């Protein structure tokens, strides 16, 4: 088992997921609520990483992170061929899944509930935090899990922008590729198993989230909470 | 002093121009009219969910909205107006308990929860405080919604067809509660409905809304007895609208020529011109059948007309007779115990009696009978403010 690769993959995944949420949620919220000209173009561009060949994404990232790019020349962000570049690649490929899933969930929230909240004295931020996000939480969590899983599994673009430096930029999927190339099948088997297990658990969880929840048995709840209620009044 | 809510707004939509002017004190004003007449938009404008093109909305001395030439515009956002709004489909937050819903406008403090509990208790729902909306019946959900609107501490509560999805008994109960609540707290209530029974159940004052405007506003009994014009009579579903010519005016009667019969009508508040064509309505309950073999009572000895029974139809409380009088079909409605001695079979010839006070001339009909839409200028004439 290639422990450094697993550890690096986990690090990259956690960081990438964080950025996927921070970047994806506001975009999803904006797209779910605002109609503007050229919206379909923006949405298409955001979905593009889902279907572009990884090598194409990798090539774009090389351009964006390489010498001559504004990021490097103006902001001094030099991360090409180091592990943060893997985070960037993972974010790019994971973001569409996050946006797609949470946008659909956010658009599904009944606008009348938000109207009602407005008449009840809530500001826009409070409405988003207390009404919109909680009501869309399943789609959002599904988006996070899918985006995170995709980030974990990112291979092609990562290979192009991080190089393949064992112990420094080699993530688990790349380590698997390496092991197979070197005919270290025992190693590969174990890593493949780990990846499959993670993917399975992630998808299974998403399916759970998407399944409509059965209503809790009302009578059972009442008795216990009636006592809570009376306690409150007292 | 109780503040009053004053509304005078205009807003152009594609299909309708809203021009609303009225004021409400601590009372229940019913906005009544067909769907699409602009009732909901009016409530939304008051709550701040819709912005009128121009006008003013004020509560007491506070302007909630003002956009008029030469004045600084004001448009408070909904959260600063805090107008209680009870939506048609309750709009409870499905992920919160009843208590959390009611506490939403109050904040997160322990005091907020206590106050929310008091309000739930007032709506007889304390025992259901921890239920989620989907675990409550429609009536219970609506009570939670009312408690939540009360929690805003607004003196104004707007009801937008709020009870229309509920069963009649539940609705009756809520109407009674609403009247009690209004009296107890001196609330300014606007109750939107397209159901006349609901209007009678809650309101004392009614505004008839049609095509974005108020046609008539006043006490319910008065509006129903004296519709300001034919449009109001139609919106109120008045049966037996007849067209006749004025042939004489007495001290206490107007004489009409209706299909060649000379009939007496009550003196309307606004006298018609001699020779004018007017519209009058006769309530189905106020057309009597005359027993051919009995002497006429003093009360029945008026406006005797021959007719032929065309249809007999059972109703919920009354039975209906459709009687052809000349070329016009009149509708009658009477208790099932009435006229049991009389053969009311379809096809029978009968004699009708209509008391003159039951023939109510609708004002201003001479110019509007033939083409209701050709005189937009007289729309607002009856939209005076009473009270």
């Amino acid at each position: 088992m290639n422990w450094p690769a697993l550890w690096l993959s986990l690090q990259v995944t956690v960081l990438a997921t964080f950025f996927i949420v921070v970047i994806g949620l506001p975009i999803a919220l904006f797209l779910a609520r605002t109609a503007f000209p050229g919206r379909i173009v923006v949405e298409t561009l955001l979905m593009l990483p889902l279907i572009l060949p990884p090598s194409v994404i990798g090539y774009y990232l090389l351009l964006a992170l390489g010498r001559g790019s504004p990021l490097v020349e103006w902001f001094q962000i030099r991360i090409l061929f180091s592990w943060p570049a893997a985070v960037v690649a993972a974010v790019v490929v994971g973001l569409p899944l996050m946006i797609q899933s949470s946008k659909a969930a956010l658009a599904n929230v009944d606008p009348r509930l938000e109207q009602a909240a407005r008449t009840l004295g809530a500001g826009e931020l409070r409405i988003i935090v207390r009404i919109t996000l909680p009501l869309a939480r399943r789609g959002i969590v599904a988006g996070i899990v899918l985006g995170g899983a995709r980030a974990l599994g990112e291979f092609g673009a990562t290979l192009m922008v991080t190089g393949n430096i064992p112990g420094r930029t080699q993530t688990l999927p790349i380590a698997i590729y390496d092991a197979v190339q070197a005919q270290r099948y025992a190693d590969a088997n174990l890593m493949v198993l780990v990846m499959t297990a993670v993917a399975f658990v992630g998808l299974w969880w998403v399916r759970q989230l998407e399944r409509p929840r059965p209503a809790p048995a009302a009578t059972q709840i009442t008795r216990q909470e009636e006592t809570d209620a009376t306690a409150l009044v007292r | 002093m109780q503040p009053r809510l004053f509304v005078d707004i205009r807003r152009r939509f594609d299909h309708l121009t809203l021009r609303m002017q009225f004021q409400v004190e601590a009372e229940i004003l019913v906005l009544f009219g067909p769907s699409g007449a602009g009732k909901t938009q009016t409530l939304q404008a008051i709550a701040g969910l819709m912005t009128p093109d121009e006008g003013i909305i004020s509560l007491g001395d506070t302007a909630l909205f003002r956009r008029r030439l030469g004045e600084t515009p004001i448009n408070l956002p909904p959260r600063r107006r805090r107008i209680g709004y009870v939506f048609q489909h309750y709009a409870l937050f499905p992920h919160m308990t009843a208590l959390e819903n009611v506490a939403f406008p109050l904040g997160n403090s322990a005091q907020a929860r206590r106050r929310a509990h008091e309000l739930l208790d007032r709506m007889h729902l304390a025992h259901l405080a921890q239920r989620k909306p989907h675990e409550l019946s429609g009536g219970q959900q609506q009570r939670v919604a009312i408690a939540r609107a009360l929690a805003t501490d607004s003196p104004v509560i707007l009801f937008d067809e709020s009870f229309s999805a509920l069963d009649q008994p539940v609705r009756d109960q809520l109407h009674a509660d609403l009247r009690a609540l209004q009296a107890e707290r001196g609330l300014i209530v606007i109750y939107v409905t397209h159901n006349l029974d609901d209007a009678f159940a809650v309101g004392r004052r009614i505004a008839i809304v049609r095509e974005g405007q108020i046609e008539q506003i006043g006490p319910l009994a008065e509006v129903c007895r004296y519709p300001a014009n034919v449009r109001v009579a139609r919106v109120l579903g008045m049966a037996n609208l007849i067209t006749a010519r004025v042939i004489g005016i007495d001290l206490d009667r107007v004489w009409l020529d209706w299909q060649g019969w000379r009939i007496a009508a009550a003196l309307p508040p606004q006298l018609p011109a001699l020779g004018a064509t007017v519209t009058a309505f006769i309530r189905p309950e106020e057309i009597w059948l005359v027993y051919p073999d009995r002497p006429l009572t003093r009360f029945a000895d008026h406006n005797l007309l021959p007719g032929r029974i065309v249809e007999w139809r059972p109703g919920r409380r009354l039975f209906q007779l459709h009687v052809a009088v000349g070329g016009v079909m009149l509708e009658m409605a009477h208790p099932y115990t009435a006229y049991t001695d009389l053969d009311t079979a379809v096809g029978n010839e009968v004699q009708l009696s209509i008391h003159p006070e039951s023939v109510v001339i609708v004002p201003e009909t001479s110019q509007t009978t033939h083409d209701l839409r050709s005189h937009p200028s007289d729309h607002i004439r009856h939209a005076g403010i009473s009270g």
Side-chain angles (χ1 to χ4, degrees):
Chain A
M1 182 70 196
N2 189 336
W3 292 110
L6 177 64
W7 178 237
L8 180 64
S9 262
L10 287 178
Q11 259 181 303
V12 167
T13 304
V14 168
L15 262 172
T17 308
F18 170 77
F19 284 114
I20 285 171
V21 174
V22 168
I23 301 169
L25 205 50
I27 294 178
L29 204 56
F30 180 77
L31 287 175
R33 306 173 141 222
T34 329
F36 57 93
R39 178 195 152 115
I40 188 109
V41 176
V42 172
E43 284 182 336
T44 309
L45 279 175
L46 285 168
M47 289 303 125
L48 218 46
L50 275 184
I51 43 159
L52 277 181
S55 53
V56 173
I57 299 171
Y59 186 73
Y60 276 126
L61 288 178
L62 280 177
L63 289 183
L65 300 175
R67 197 164 300 158
S69 124
L71 284 179
V72 178
E73 302 301 321
W74 303 347
F75 301 106
Q76 306 292 317
I77 300 176
R78 295 173 200 281
I79 55 172
L80 206 58
F81 304 119
S82 65
W83 69 267
V87 176
V88 174
V91 169
V92 168
V93 296
L95 206 52
L97 291 164
M98 168 69 187
I99 292 176
Q100 189 127 313
S101 176
S102 36
K103 188 188 73 180
L106 289 166
N108 253 334
V109 174
D110 188 347
R112 285 176 299 189
L113 295 177
E114 293 162 343
Q115 295 280 52
R118 269 177 210 120
T119 70
L120 295 168
E124 294 307 308
L125 188 65
R126 183 152 184 258
I127 291 172
I128 288 172
V129 173
R130 294 275 324 265
I131 309 293
T132 317
L133 291 183
L135 286 175
R137 70 185 178 286
R138 290 205 218 173
I140 293 170
V141 173
I144 295 172
V145 173
L146 287 173
R150 183 71 185 81
L152 175 66
E154 169 44 33
F155 172 73
T158 310
L159 189 61
M160 287 175 75
V161 293
T162 61
N164 179 7
I165 309 164
R168 286 191 40 213
T169 69
Q170 193 184 58
T171 60
L172 204 52
I174 296 173
I176 292 171
Y177 178 75
D178 236 26
V180 173
Q181 291 286 303
Q183 302 189 354
R184 287 182 277 113
Y185 290 116
D187 249 13
N189 283 346
L190 192 59
M191 290 188 281
V192 165
L193 204 65
V194 168
M195 291 296 288
T196 311
V198 170
F200 180 86
V201 170
L203 274 181
W204 176 79
W205 189 24
V206 169
R207 293 293 298 268
Q208 289 290 313
L209 288 168
E210 284 169 350
R211 213 171 50 179
R213 223 176 310 169
T219 42
Q220 224 177 333
I221 291 176
T222 333
R223 181 148 325 147
Q224 187 218 325
E225 308 208 317
E226 233 170 22
T227 46
D228 293 355
T230 33
L232 251 177
V233 177
R234 241 185 283 129
Chain B
M1 198 195 99
Q2 261 295 322
R4 59 176 66 177
L5 179 70
F6 178 77
V7 176
D8 179 7
I9 51 167
R10 272 158 196 261
R11 165 84 197 249
R12 261 192 121 75
F13 295 100
D14 290 342
H15 53 287
L16 161 104
T17 301
L18 195 67
R19 286 160 70 189
M20 282 290 187
Q21 190 191 31
F22 59 89
Q23 63 183 25
V24 202
E25 290 170 36
E27 60 176 335
I28 302 179
L29 173 73
V30 175
L31 285 189
F32 173 82
S35 312
K39 308 185 295 290
T40 295
Q41 285 89 335
T42 306
L43 295 194
Q44 289 180 336
I46 295 169
L49 301 175
M50 184 272 273
T51 307
D53 295 332
E54 58 173 325
I56 185 160
I57 300 169
S58 61
L59 178 60
D61 298 329
T62 318
L64 305 178
F65 172 82
R66 187 175 71 195
R67 190 181 287 167
R68 281 204 294 221
L69 216 61
E71 286 179 274
T72 334
I74 298 174
N75 189 9
L76 293 186
R79 77 189 142 86
R80 293 196 35 219
R81 299 189 189 192
R82 292 196 133 210
I83 299 283
Y85 201 128
V86 181
F87 294 81
Q88 179 172 12
H89 297 292
Y90 327 128
L92 293 179
F93 305 131
H95 57 302
M96 298 184 190
T97 63
L99 187 69
E100 286 165 346
N101 264 282
V102 179
F104 184 82
L106 298 165
N108 297 321
S109 65
Q111 198 191 347
R113 288 175 70 84
R114 208 173 311 121
R115 173 108 175 86
H117 220 282
E118 281 168 22
L119 288 165
L120 277 178
D121 196 31
R122 171 64 189 81
M123 297 310 292
H124 319 294
L125 285 172
H127 59 297
L128 302 175
Q130 298 303 325
R131 293 232 187 143
K132 294 272 181 72
H134 69 91
E135 297 162 335
L136 299 169
S137 71
Q140 290 165 344
Q141 289 187 45
Q142 198 51 283
R143 283 168 191 282
V144 175
I146 294 171
R148 189 178 67 174
L150 288 173
T152 60
D153 258 329
S154 169
V156 182
I157 299 201
L158 312 174
F159 289 83
D160 188 3
E161 305 267 9
S162 307
F163 305 154
S164 61
L166 300 171
D167 297 338
Q168 194 59 50
V170 179
R171 209 190 289 201
D172 292 342
Q173 183 60 49
L174 277 169
H175 283 143
D177 286 348
L178 172 55
R179 287 196 309 265
L181 211 55
Q182 189 280 326
E184 175 186 312
R185 298 178 182 235
L187 295 170
I188 297 172
V189 174
I190 302 181
Y191 182 96
V192 158
T193 183
H194 62 262
N195 181 325
L196 201 54
D197 289 334
D198 283 358
F200 274 101
V202 289
R204 289 286 170 274
R205 212 153 68 87
I206 189 171
I208 309 290
V209 184
R210 195 182 147 277
E211 291 182 6
Q213 302 179 6
I214 291 180
E215 292 276 359
Q216 188 177 8
I217 185 166
L220 249 168
E222 189 187 302
V223 171
C224 282
R225 191 66 199 168
Y226 299 110
N229 54 47
V230 180
R231 296 181 297 274
V232 173
R234 285 191 203 282
V235 169
L236 288 172
M238 296 291 187
N240 301 332
L241 283 170
I242 62 169
T243 309
R245 203 166 52 83
V246 179
I247 52 173
I249 299 175
D250 275 358
L251 277 178
D252 59 344
R253 294 280 175 266
V254 173
W255 293 95
L256 301 174
D257 172 10
W258 181 52
Q259 305 188 85
W261 287 292
R262 185 177 133 92
I263 63 171
L267 269 188
Q270 194 182 338
L271 277 188
L274 209 59
T277 302
V278 296
T279 299
F281 69 88
I282 308 162
R283 276 168 209 287
E285 303 84 3
E286 296 177 3
I287 303 177
W288 313 99
L289 286 179
V290 176
Y291 288 87
D293 51 345
R294 297 184 195 173
L296 285 171
T297 62
R298 215 166 61 86
F299 193 72
D301 193 8
H302 299 280
N303 296 336
L304 296 170
L305 299 166
R308 189 171 45 82
I309 295 175
V310 174
E311 195 184 347
W312 185 96
R313 191 190 288 172
R316 190 152 58 101
R317 274 174 243 151
L318 307 172
F319 74 83
Q320 280 187 3
L321 279 182
H322 291 212
V323 181
V325 179
V328 177
M329 192 76 71
L330 290 185
E331 192 183 309
M332 300 173 54
H334 289 287
Y336 283 96
T337 49
Y339 304 121
T340 43
D341 293 347
L342 208 61
D343 187 6
T344 53
V346 168
N348 282 4
E349 301 289 335
V350 288
Q351 196 170 33
L352 311 182
S353 156
I354 305 165
H355 193 275
E357 289 300 322
S358 301
V359 182
V360 181
I361 293 173
V362 182
E364 265 191 59
T365 48
S366 53
Q367 33 176 322
T368 52
T369 317
H370 300 295
D371 186 358
L372 294 181
R373 288 163 191 276
S374 66
H375 294 278
S377 57
D378 62 61
H379 274 324
I380 205 83
R381 201 164 298 167
H382 291 279
I385 292 174
S386 71

